[in-house]
Amino acid sequence: MSQATLERPASREQVEPRSGRRSTLGAKDRTFGFMIALPAVLLFLVIAIFPLVSSIGTSLYDQSLLRPERTFVGFENYAAVWDEFVARLGTTLVFASLSTLFPLVLGVALAMLLNARMRGRNILRGALMLPWLLPGVVVSFLWAWIFNDSYGVVNHVLATFGLPEVSMLGQPVGAMAAVVIAKTWHSFPWIMVVALAVLQTLPSEQIEAATIDGATRAQRFRYISLPHIAGPVTLVAVLEFIYNFGNFDTIFVMTGGGPGNSTTTLAVSLYHLAFGSYELGKASAMGALWLVLLAIISSGYLLLNRRLEK
């Protein structure tokens, strides 16, 4: 047999059965993957997409829990709740911004502290995780008790030292400060964990070299540690802002939106419309406007995430 015969490529008939076998296996894999994902997709359609579409449809009707019939009114509900939406948007932005800024600063500061060599830091790390492990409702009741005007811990301590008592939950500024403090205490641990995890990936040689060159602790943080953690911590801050933008339990448990409407955010206002005034149509319109705003904020987060990944 000649060398040319030995080196002759395989015939088409010899190649096709193997290719057909691969395509058959690929089709089976795709079918199996589709069957695995189908229950999750159906569940998502039932618990997310269907209620969303139904709520948007309800926003076009004058519908109440107090009467069985409903009347189509188009976009009248949107016009009716627009002023309320704009007014509560400002309060929501204040709460979400402050409840993101303070946990961010506290979490990064504690991460820097726990990243340093110190005795008992592992015990301290575990202890500082406790607020994050508690349910939001429990945290809200705890801080409502602490700030209570009659028997709260804050006023008890002030009275012990002969200082005048304060009414945190009874005045607008104090109530906003109280809910922000409660949310900060509940949120800072997970920001601390993320910042600490990123700090531990920082090569120690860079810190040692900067220390040898005479850099102070503040300079090492500003020029080495902060740029290293800036990307991940920024994404965490945006996620925290989105979560705080829709936070309900902290404010509802501690103040109910009061005094007056000083702490009434979009979430609390929507609840009052739906289950206080029983106006499902207007509440759905408020929710649709809220959804559009959250979609814009989430799109900004995705763009930021893509830019930081490059």
Side-chain angles (χ1 to χ4, degrees):
M1 185 179 293
S2 65
Q3 184 70 20
T5 305
L6 291 174
E7 295 178 355
R8 185 176 60 186
S11 63
R12 185 175 181 181
E13 290 78 6
Q14 292 173 320
V15 174
E16 283 184 349
R18 187 175 300 173
S19 176
R21 192 180 304 115
R22 286 201 202 99
S23 62
T24 302
L25 291 175
K28 291 181 178 180
D29 291 340
R30 288 192 295 270
T31 303
F32 178 74
F34 175 77
M35 296 302 295
I36 291 294
L38 184 60
V41 173
L42 293 177
L43 184 63
F44 177 74
L45 291 174
V46 171
I47 68 175
I49 301 301
F50 175 75
L52 175 62
V53 174
S54 177
S55 177
I56 294 176
T58 303
S59 69
L60 303 176
Y61 288 84
D62 179 15
Q63 183 174 345
S64 173
L65 289 173
L66 301 178
R67 54 183 184 275
E69 72 281 353
R70 65 178 188 172
T71 306
F72 181 79
V73 294
F75 292 97
E76 291 183 9
N77 286 328
Y78 290 88
V81 302
W82 178 253
D83 291 339
E84 174 74 8
F85 177 79
V86 173
R88 304 303 156 232
L89 176 60
T91 306
T92 305
L93 289 174
V94 170
F95 171 76
S97 300
L98 295 178
S99 297
T100 302
L101 176 61
F102 289 114
L104 180 66
V105 173
L106 182 60
V108 172
L110 289 174
M112 294 293 298
L113 176 65
L114 295 177
N115 193 51
R117 295 179 180 178
M118 55 182 296
R119 298 179 62 180
R121 65 176 181 176
N122 291 331
I123 298 176
L124 189 58
R125 288 174 184 176
L128 290 175
M129 287 296 295
L130 179 61
W132 192 33
L133 301 178
L134 296 175
V137 174
V138 174
V139 172
S140 302
F141 275 112
L142 173 64
W143 283 97
W145 170 69
I146 291 175
F147 289 122
N148 187 274
D149 296 344
S150 301
Y151 51 82
V153 176
V154 172
N155 281 334
H156 177 73
V157 172
L158 292 176
T160 302
F161 289 96
L163 299 175
E165 297 182 357
V166 296
S167 178
M168 289 288 291
L169 301 179
Q171 54 181 334
V173 176
M176 179 60 73
V179 295
V180 169
I181 290 172
K183 194 65 183 67
T184 298
W185 189 78
H186 191 213
S187 300
F188 82 85
W190 87 286
I191 299 178
M192 177 192 70
V193 168
V194 172
L196 181 60
V198 178
L199 281 172
Q200 290 181 341
T201 65
L202 179 64
S204 59
E205 293 81 5
Q206 295 185 17
I207 301 294
E208 293 174 358
T211 304
I212 294 173
D213 290 339
T216 63
R217 181 171 297 181
Q219 290 173 332
R220 294 197 300 268
F221 172 74
R222 179 180 178 183
Y223 296 107
I224 299 177
S225 301
L226 186 58
H228 186 72
I229 67 174
V233 170
T234 299
L235 293 179
V236 169
V238 176
L239 281 175
E240 181 69 10
F241 179 84
I242 293 174
Y243 175 74
N244 290 332
F245 198 83
N247 181 267
F248 172 77
D249 51 0
T250 303
I251 295 177
F252 184 77
V253 170
M254 293 185 65
T255 67
N261 290 318
S262 58
T263 58
T264 302
T265 57
L266 289 173
V268 177
S269 178
L270 193 152
Y271 175 85
H272 287 322
L273 274 175
F275 303 106
S277 301
Y278 306 109
E279 295 290 345
L280 293 184
K282 293 179 180 178
S284 298
M286 176 81 77
L289 293 172
W290 189 14
L291 175 65
V292 172
L293 190 58
L294 280 177
I296 295 173
I297 297 175
S298 300
S299 299
Y301 163 75
L302 294 176
L303 291 175
L304 178 63
N305 189 20
R306 184 176 300 178
R307 178 173 299 181
L308 291 175
E309 286 179 350
K310 291 182 180 179

